[in-house]
């Protein structure tokens, strides 16, 4: 990653450097080296070419190092000479890179104090964009305010989105939701302080996989210190973050890396012409064989090294002697790396050269590393040992005759003493017999052995090892030696035990919470269940579960619901939350809640994973609670009977009085000579009309106070509001309250239960009457308003000019048993809210501008096709908020 960062900093337009906390400058990019004419040395630290008297120059260098020791961002001016000898003043700005509150490194920018012309700045911007596009890692360029301005090609390819899409990166989850807030916070802090920032976060790749990146934020400033842009470099560190890989997997990967070290091979004819080049070398050059046949006229060898390389091959062809040169070879991305090119001739029996083989070994790291010799020795040791781990070598008769340094370091005993492994106490007593049986059995049969045991380390610690042994046979098939590999698996064994315990804890937690987990691969219908999921579905854990098994447990509605979920899940990623009903073998019903998520797994397969929870008991408790609420609603209606007695008498007395009057008229006109039959008929018809009117009043009252289940039907809100006003007329007259109605015209019908909606309006009207009881300084008026809403609802509001609500009461008025009246029960508005929400509606309250308050509710309209709009009126618990559904 350090090499990658160096290349990125080298490509930035500007003079960039890095320094260690002790003041040594360990890196300068090309711009700074070209400007100063002082290149970065391979071994020594770079020094500022300070222009001035020796004492002054020494003082400036000392001040620079002193500023580095303060652990705070700083800037200073350094007089220097440009490469062409012209004196310049550099403004140097440095920011520290912290880790655990300690400075790990300093990064700085150096700018000339002069201002560039407009034309040169435009040309510089063009070069700047081209350079950003050539950086081999994802780079984002943002404005000083943080808006995305540009992205290079690696960034666009990684995210698989356009620049316009990625400008809204905070809202489209290109940053993992768990990392988004702290990423934004770090960037805002960097913008506030105008300093470098370093953050690790996960970013969504185009295939839907989140990968970890080290995001380095670098401010690019003009010569006056104003930030022109921000550079955000995304260095992939996902592999480093996956440190929890199992020990065995790490060993296999290490072995794979050892065995797949790339080496380039070129095959030359006796006269030195290229005949063939192997895959690793072709991939390194990024060219075809035909392009490399005339390699001497290409740029694959560094221009400074090309003459030596041509001379070495020519001399070798002429003399027939091997050649060995260290040269720089050009990689496909344009980078030159050091290689050791060794050519050896293949000769026939008569000594004639048949062809040349040139081995290309990458030695760039060795050339640049300070510990080149130690690294070469370590690699040689790994090659000699053959494999990482403790190696034991046995004779055919099971005598230990050798081992590598690791086995000596572990036991800290000589090989001779380790040969007595069955009696010297290094093998755990509980494992001794299996060791003897396995090892000696392999010696007797000649078959490889593989078993696990515990060995005593020199410090008295027992650790688990996996022992694997293979025999080495000669051409006659006889065993000449046994090689044993002792792999430390103690950490893996502990991890497996912890995993076993974690799985046991998870199983207990799922059993106690009645929550199971599942996975369904949508392409193959392969199902994976946890133990609790088997219990919830009532299926034997030994039974192989298929999608058909699951569907067979569902009732009709749940079957259709699951089919719709599966169709949506196959279409793409998404979250699902739904309820299903299981029909158990004993015909009992079980209610289950399902939470699931569909996405592509690491293999690219669309997979639905989630959890199922048995909510049968909570559903039964909910139904019991709903029944209690229904009883409470009925009690509320009954308690209103006493208040409505006067209105009932008024409503019934009017038609009864009309009947008596019309009956007397009828008798009088019949008694005349001759009888007036037309007047008698009119009187009889009016009697029938008044009788029907009285009957309608009784029917409405019986319906209001009945316990019959609600019937969903199309309701005219203007009609039921008028009926409620008629029922409450006596109360309104007694309280000297006038009612103004503002009914909307041509209102669509709503889907609801007539009696329940009447009860809601009655509760709101009675509350408004009581709110006006103590008002004497203004008219007492209530306004009932109905109107259609464009969203497909009909709204009903009841406004009054009464005392209103206090601000602290507004959030609680819909809570059960909360009341502001001395003799109130606190259940009217709570019951009203339950009724409205059960109609898929919403109930709210607000204070009026002058006096009083308005309480309103909205109910979905009835479907034009004659079906209610997804309304199921039943008593169910309401949400805690109490204002909206």
């Amino acid at each position: 990653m350090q090499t990658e960062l160096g290349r990125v900093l080298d490509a930035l337009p500007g003079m960039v450097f890095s320094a260690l906390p002790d003041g040594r400058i360990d890196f300068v990019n090309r711009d700074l080296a070209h400007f100063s004419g002082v290149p970065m040395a391979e071994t020594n630290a770079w020094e500022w070419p300070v222009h001035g008297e020796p004492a002054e120059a020494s003082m400036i260098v000392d001040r620079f190092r002193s500023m580095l020791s303060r652990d705070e961002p700083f800037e200073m001016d350094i007089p220097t000479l440009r490469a062409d000898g012209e004196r310049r003043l550099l403004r140097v700005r440095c920011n520290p890179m912290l880790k655990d509150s300690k400075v790990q490194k300093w990064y700085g920018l150096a700018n000339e104090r002069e201002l560039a012309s407009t034309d040169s700045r435009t040309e510089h911007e063009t070069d700047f964009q081209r350079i950003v596009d050539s950086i081999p890692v994802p780079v984002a360029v943002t404005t000083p305010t943080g808006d995305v301005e540009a992205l290079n090609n690696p960034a666009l390819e990684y995210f698989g989105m356009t620049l316009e899409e990625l400008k809204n990166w905070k809202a489209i989850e290109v940053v993992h939701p768990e990392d988004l807030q702290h990423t934004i916070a770090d960037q805002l802090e960097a913008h506030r302080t105008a300093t470098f920032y370093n953050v690790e976060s996960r970013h969504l790749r185009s295939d839907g996989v989140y990968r970890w990146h080290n995001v380095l934020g670098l401010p690019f400033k003009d010569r006056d210190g104003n930030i022109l842009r921000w550079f955000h470099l995304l260095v992939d560190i996902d592999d480093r973050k996956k440190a929890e890989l199992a020990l065995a997997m790490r060993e296999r990967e290490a072995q794979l890396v050892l065995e797949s070290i790339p080496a380039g091979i070129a095959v030359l004819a006796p006269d030195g012409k290229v005949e063939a080049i192997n895959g690793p070398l072709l991939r390194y050059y990024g060219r075809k064989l035909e392009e490399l046949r005339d390699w001497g006229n290409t740029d694959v060898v560094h221009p400074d090294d090309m003459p030596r390389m041509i001379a070495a091959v020519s001399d070798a062809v002429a003399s027939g002697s091997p050649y060995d040169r260290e040269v720089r070879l050009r990689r496909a991305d344009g980078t030159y790396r050091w290689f050791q090119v060794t050519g050896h001739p293949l000769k026939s029996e008569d000594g004639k050269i048949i062809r040349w083989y040139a081995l290309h070994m990458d030695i760039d790291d060795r050339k640049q590393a300070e510990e080149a010799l130690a690294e070469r020795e370590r690699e040689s040791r790994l090659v000699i040992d053959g494999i990482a781990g403790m190696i034991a070598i046995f004779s055919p008769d099971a005598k230990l005759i050798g081992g590598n340094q690791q086995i000596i370091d572990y036991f800290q005993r000589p090989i001779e003493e380790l040969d007595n492994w069955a009696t010297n106490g290094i093998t755990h007593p509980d494992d001794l017999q299996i060791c003897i049986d396995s090892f000696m059995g392999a010696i007797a049969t000649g078959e490889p052995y593989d078993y696990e045991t515990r060995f005593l380390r020199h410090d008295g610690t027992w650790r688990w090892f996996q022992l694997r042994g293979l025999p080495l046979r000669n051409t006659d098939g006889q065993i000449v030696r046994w090689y044993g590999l002792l792999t430390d698996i103690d950490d893996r064994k502990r991890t497996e035990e912890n995993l076993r315990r974690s799985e046991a804890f998870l199983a207990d937690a799922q059993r106690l919470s009645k929550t199971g987990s599942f996975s369904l691969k949508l392409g193959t219908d392969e199902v994976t269940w946890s133990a609790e999921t088997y219990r919830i579905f009532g299926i034997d854990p030994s039974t192989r579960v298929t999608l058909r098994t699951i569907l067979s447990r569902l009732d009709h509605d749940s079957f259709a619901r699951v089919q719709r979920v599966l169709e949506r899940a196959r279409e793409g990623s998404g979250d699902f939350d739904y309820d299903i009903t299981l029909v158990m073998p004993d015909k009992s019903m079980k209610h289950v809640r399902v939470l699931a998520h569909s996405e592509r797994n690491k293999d690219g397969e669309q997979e639905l994973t989630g959890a199922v929870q048995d909510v049968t008991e909570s559903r039964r408790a909910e139904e019991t609670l709903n029944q209690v609420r229904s009883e409470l609603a009925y009690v509320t209606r009954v308690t209103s009977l006493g208040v409505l007695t006067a209105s009932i008498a008024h409503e019934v007395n009017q038609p009864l009085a009309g009947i008596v009057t019309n009956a007397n008229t009828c008798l009088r006109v019949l008694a005349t000579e001759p009888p007036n039959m037309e007047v008698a008929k009119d009187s009889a018809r009016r009697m029938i009309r008044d009788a029907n009117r009285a009957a309608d009043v009784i029917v409405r009252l019986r319906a209001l106070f009945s316990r019959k289940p609600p019937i969903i039907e199309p309701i005219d809100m203007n009609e039921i509001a008028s009926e409620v006003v008629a029922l409450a007329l006596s109360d309104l007259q007694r309280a000297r309250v006038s009612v103004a109605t503002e009914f909307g015209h041509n209102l669509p019908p709503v889907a609801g239960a007539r009696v329940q909606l009447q009860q809601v309006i009655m509760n709101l009207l009675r509350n408004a009457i009581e709110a006006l009881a103590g008002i004497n300084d203004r008219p007492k008026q209530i306004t009932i308003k109905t109107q259609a809403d464009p969203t497909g609802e009909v709204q009903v509001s009841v406004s009054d000019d009464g005392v209103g609500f206090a601000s602290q009461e507004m959030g609680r008025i819909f809570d059960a048993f909360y009341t502001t009246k001395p003799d109130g029960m606190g259940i009217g508005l709570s019951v009203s809210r339950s009724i409205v929400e059960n109609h898929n509606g919403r109930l709210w309250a607000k204070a009026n501008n002058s006096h009083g308050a308005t309480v309103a509710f909205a109910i979905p309209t009835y479907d034009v096709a004659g079906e209610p709009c997804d309304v199921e009126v039943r008593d169910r618990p309401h949400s805690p908020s109490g204002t909206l559904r």
Side-chain angles (χ1 to χ4, degrees):
M1 186 179 76
Q2 189 67 26
T3 303
E4 182 77 6
L5 179 60
R7 292 207 312 272
V8 172
L9 296 178
D10 223 19
L12 288 177
M15 293 181 282
V16 183
F17 63 92
S18 64
L20 301 176
D22 60 6
R24 289 181 297 153
I25 299 176
D26 63 344
F27 173 82
V28 296
N29 71 344
R30 291 194 187 99
D31 283 2
L32 183 52
H34 291 167
F35 174 86
S36 64
V38 181
M40 183 69 199
E42 294 184 358
T43 56
N44 298 327
W46 192 82
E47 294 286 345
W48 287 107
V50 181
H51 178 70
E53 296 296 328
E56 181 185 2
S58 176
M59 181 178 66
I60 291 174
V61 172
D62 290 343
R63 181 171 177 265
F64 175 79
R65 292 178 176 173
S66 174
M67 297 296 287
L68 292 179
S69 66
R70 297 183 181 180
D71 299 349
E72 296 179 355
F74 69 92
E75 63 181 45
M76 61 180 293
D77 293 333
I78 297 179
T80 185
L81 289 178
R82 204 165 57 188
D84 58 4
E86 185 174 353
R87 189 177 186 275
R88 282 288 184 268
L89 183 64
L90 291 181
R91 171 64 58 84
V92 176
R93 296 178 174 86
C94 290
N95 290 327
M97 184 176 72
L98 303 177
K99 183 177 182 182
D100 298 330
S101 302
K102 295 183 179 179
V103 176
Q104 300 295 312
K105 213 167 190 179
W106 288 84
Y107 288 90
L109 294 172
N111 296 307
E112 291 184 77
R113 296 297 299 273
E114 293 184 354
L115 293 174
S117 67
T118 303
D119 292 339
S120 65
R121 183 181 298 112
T122 303
E123 181 180 358
H124 179 74
E125 290 292 337
T126 303
D127 293 340
F128 170 84
Q129 181 62 43
R130 188 163 54 249
I131 291 172
V132 169
D133 285 338
S134 68
I135 297 175
V137 299
V139 175
V141 181
T142 61
T143 64
T145 61
D147 296 326
V148 176
E149 184 180 41
L151 292 161
N152 68 350
N153 288 332
L156 295 174
E157 292 173 359
Y158 178 87
F159 293 112
M161 300 182 185
T162 65
L163 173 61
E164 293 302 320
E165 291 174 318
L166 289 169
K167 284 184 178 181
N168 194 26
W169 64 272
K170 297 179 183 178
I172 58 177
E173 295 189 355
V174 295
V175 179
H176 196 285
E178 297 177 2
D179 306 331
L180 180 61
Q181 294 305 317
H182 80 81
T183 297
I184 295 174
D186 287 350
Q187 289 188 6
L188 291 177
E189 179 63 17
H191 286 183
R192 187 184 67 81
T193 59
T195 57
F196 166 90
Y197 76 88
N198 184 350
V199 64
E200 293 181 356
S201 57
R202 287 163 287 184
H203 297 82
L204 184 65
R205 199 168 57 189
S206 58
D207 59 1
V209 175
Y210 281 100
R211 291 185 63 84
W212 282 97
H213 287 81
N214 188 188
V215 183
L216 305 174
L218 302 171
F220 179 63
K221 304 178 181 179
D222 60 16
R223 293 180 175 86
D224 295 328
N226 300 314
I227 294 179
L228 301 177
R229 291 181 179 88
W230 282 87
F231 293 91
H232 311 268
L233 314 180
L234 279 68
V235 181
D236 194 312
I237 60 169
D238 195 72
D239 293 335
R240 178 172 65 81
K241 296 292 288 187
K242 295 177 179 176
E244 68 277 5
L245 290 175
L247 179 60
M249 178 63 73
R250 293 202 301 269
E251 290 174 349
R252 286 195 297 271
E253 289 177 353
Q255 180 64 25
L256 179 61
V257 170
L258 182 64
E259 294 175 354
S260 62
I261 294 176
I265 302 293
V267 182
L268 310 179
D271 60 356
K273 293 182 179 179
V274 176
E275 288 187 347
I277 296 176
N278 72 341
L281 193 54
L282 287 175
R283 288 191 294 273
Y284 178 84
Y285 288 132
R287 306 190 185 191
K288 298 179 180 179
L289 175 61
E290 295 302 323
E291 299 178 78
L292 297 172
R293 290 191 185 278
D294 190 18
W295 60 271
N297 292 320
T298 67
D299 59 352
V300 295
V301 181
H302 195 282
D304 296 342
D305 304 331
M306 182 65 83
R308 293 189 296 108
M309 191 70 247
I310 294 175
V313 175
S314 300
D315 293 344
V317 169
S319 63
S321 301
Y323 63 89
D324 189 345
R325 289 291 183 273
E326 293 181 356
V327 295
R328 285 161 288 184
L329 302 181
R330 191 176 189 272
R331 198 167 58 189
D333 61 1
T335 302
Y336 283 97
R337 290 182 64 85
W338 281 99
F339 276 76
Q340 182 177 16
V341 182
T342 306
H344 288 274
L346 175 64
K347 298 181 179 180
S348 62
E349 294 181 356
D350 58 359
K352 183 179 180 180
I353 296 178
I354 301 174
R355 62 178 55 89
W356 289 84
Y357 288 94
L359 175 66
H360 298 64
M361 295 295 297
D362 189 326
I363 60 169
D364 193 78
D365 293 336
R366 189 197 71 187
K367 293 284 289 186
Q368 297 184 17
E370 295 180 357
E371 300 178 354
L373 180 60
E375 182 65 18
R376 285 177 62 98
E377 290 176 351
R378 188 188 70 83
E379 292 179 356
S380 298
R381 180 61 181 172
L382 285 176
V383 173
I384 293 172
D385 289 345
I387 192 170
M390 292 163 36
I391 305 297
I393 306 173
F394 298 92
S395 65
D397 59 355
K399 181 175 178 61
L400 182 63
I401 58 176
N404 63 352
Q405 187 60 41
Q406 288 94 317
I407 197 170
I408 301 299
D409 293 340
Y410 183 85
F411 293 107
Q412 292 193 3
R413 298 190 187 186
I415 292 293
E416 294 77 12
E417 186 176 342
L418 294 178
D419 185 35
N420 302 319
W421 56 270
T423 58
N424 60 11
I426 64 172
T427 305
H428 197 283
D430 295 343
D431 306 333
L432 184 57
Q433 191 58 49
I434 191 174
C435 290
I436 294 174
D437 294 342
S438 300
F439 181 70
M440 298 310 297
I443 296 295
T445 61
E447 296 295 327
Y449 61 85
D450 188 343
Y451 61 94
E452 297 177 357
T453 187
R454 284 163 287 185
F455 284 135
L456 184 65
R457 197 166 60 187
H458 62 85
D459 59 0
T461 301
W462 292 99
R463 293 186 66 83
W464 279 97
F465 281 81
Q466 181 181 23
L467 278 65
R468 289 175 289 180
L470 292 173
L472 175 65
R473 301 177 185 269
N474 57 21
T475 56
D476 298 329
Q478 296 178 339
I479 296 176
V480 296
R481 190 173 292 112
W482 281 85
Y483 287 93
L485 173 64
L486 287 69
T487 304
D488 189 327
I489 60 171
D490 194 76
D491 293 337
R492 190 196 74 188
K493 295 284 283 188
R494 295 179 187 275
T495 301
E496 290 175 350
E497 176 61 21
N498 290 337
L499 179 60
R500 185 193 63 78
R501 295 181 61 192
S502 296
E503 290 176 345
F505 291 155
L506 178 59
D508 288 343
Q510 289 192 350
R511 178 178 54 82
L512 293 174
S513 64
K514 296 183 179 180
T515 303
S517 55
F518 70 90
S519 168
L520 171 61
K521 294 182 179 179
L522 298 171
T524 62
D525 288 344
E526 179 183 344
V527 180
T528 303
W529 274 3
S530 68
E532 184 61 18
T533 307
Y534 277 100
R535 190 202 65 76
I536 292 174
F537 277 77
I539 295 177
D540 187 351
S542 61
T543 304
R544 180 178 177 271
V545 179
T546 64
L547 182 58
R548 179 176 296 180
T549 307
I550 299 173
L551 296 177
S552 67
R553 278 286 194 265
L554 305 177
D555 66 359
H556 180 269
D557 293 340
S558 299
F559 183 92
R561 187 176 300 116
V562 170
Q563 290 284 38
R564 290 195 298 270
V565 170
L566 292 177
E567 291 174 2
R568 291 174 54 198
R570 289 190 175 96
E571 293 173 357
S573 301
D575 296 325
F576 305 94
D577 183 352
Y578 57 96
D579 294 337
I580 59 176
T581 301
L582 304 182
V583 181
M584 306 307 290
D586 60 358
K587 304 304 180 182
S588 63
M589 298 293 183
K590 185 177 290 187
H591 300 285
V592 175
R593 183 186 181 189
V594 183
L595 296 170
H597 177 71
S598 174
E599 65 180 357
R600 293 196 177 275
N601 58 25
K602 63 179 182 179
D603 298 324
E605 301 173 310
Q606 196 71 24
E607 186 174 5
L608 184 69
T609 57
V612 294
Q613 184 179 26
D614 185 351
V615 296
T616 304
E617 294 183 2
S618 61
R619 184 64 59 82
R620 290 172 180 167
E622 179 182 339
E623 291 173 354
T624 302
L625 181 59
N626 290 337
Q627 183 177 359
V628 173
R629 282 204 175 95
S630 179
E631 295 290 339
L632 181 60
Y634 174 72
V635 170
T636 305
R637 293 199 298 271
V638 172
T639 55
S640 303
L641 182 59
V643 179
L644 296 177
T645 301
S647 295
I648 296 170
H650 178 78
E651 286 290 307
V652 175
N653 282 335
Q654 279 189 342
L656 290 179
I659 291 172
V660 171
T661 301
N662 288 310
N664 290 329
T665 302
C666 184
L667 290 175
R668 187 172 58 253
V669 298
L670 289 175
T672 62
E673 288 296 336
N676 191 339
M677 298 305 296
E678 291 301 323
V679 175
K681 290 179 181 180
D682 289 339
S683 299
R685 282 193 289 267
R686 285 194 294 272
M687 292 168 60
I688 295 172
R689 180 200 61 190
D690 291 338
N692 288 334
R693 180 180 172 190
D696 288 341
V697 172
I698 300 302
V699 168
R700 290 200 302 270
L701 292 174
R702 292 183 62 188
L704 182 62
F705 297 104
S706 69
R707 302 175 65 99
K708 293 181 180 179
I711 300 175
I712 303 304
E713 57 183 336
I715 301 296
D716 183 345
M717 294 300 291
N718 288 344
E719 180 182 332
I720 66 171
S722 298
E723 292 176 353
V724 171
V725 171
L727 287 174
L729 185 59
S730 178
D731 281 350
L732 292 168
Q733 293 174 346
R734 186 167 48 253
R736 291 186 174 85
V737 174
S738 62
V739 174
T741 58
E742 298 178 9
F743 291 165
H745 297 291
N746 301 321
L747 289 184
V750 301
R754 185 183 193 90
V755 173
Q756 290 190 358
L757 295 179
Q758 283 181 327
Q759 182 178 356
V760 173
I761 299 175
M762 178 64 75
N763 286 344
L764 302 186
L765 183 59
R766 289 182 58 196
N767 285 343
I769 294 172
E770 293 173 354
L772 291 165
I775 303 302
N776 298 312
D777 58 344
R778 56 183 177 271
K780 299 180 181 182
Q781 182 171 341
I782 296 174
T783 301
I784 301 178
K785 181 179 181 181
T786 63
Q787 63 182 6
D789 191 277
T791 60
E793 296 177 326
V794 172
Q795 295 184 8
V796 179
S797 63
V798 178
S799 302
D800 63 73
D801 294 329
V803 295
F805 302 114
S807 57
Q808 63 271 20
E809 296 173 346
M810 192 66 71
R812 300 184 58 193
I813 60 175
F814 297 107
D815 293 346
F817 306 113
Y818 178 81
T819 180
T820 59
K821 296 175 287 187
D823 56 348
M825 296 176 61
I827 60 175
L829 287 178
S830 175
V831 169
S832 298
R833 181 181 68 172
S834 296
I835 293 173
V836 171
E837 290 183 347
N838 289 342
H839 281 74
N840 287 342
R842 50 198 178 95
L843 175 68
W844 68 93
K846 64 179 182 179
N848 295 334
N849 292 331
S850 56
H851 303 288
T854 297
V855 183
F857 67 93
I859 303 297
T861 59
Y862 201 82
D863 191 356
V864 295
E867 296 294 334
C869 302
D870 297 330
V871 175
E872 178 189 2
V873 179
R874 57 184 177 90
D875 293 312
R876 61 183 180 184
H878 54 72
S879 62
S881 62
T883 56
L884 297 178
R885 52 181 169 178

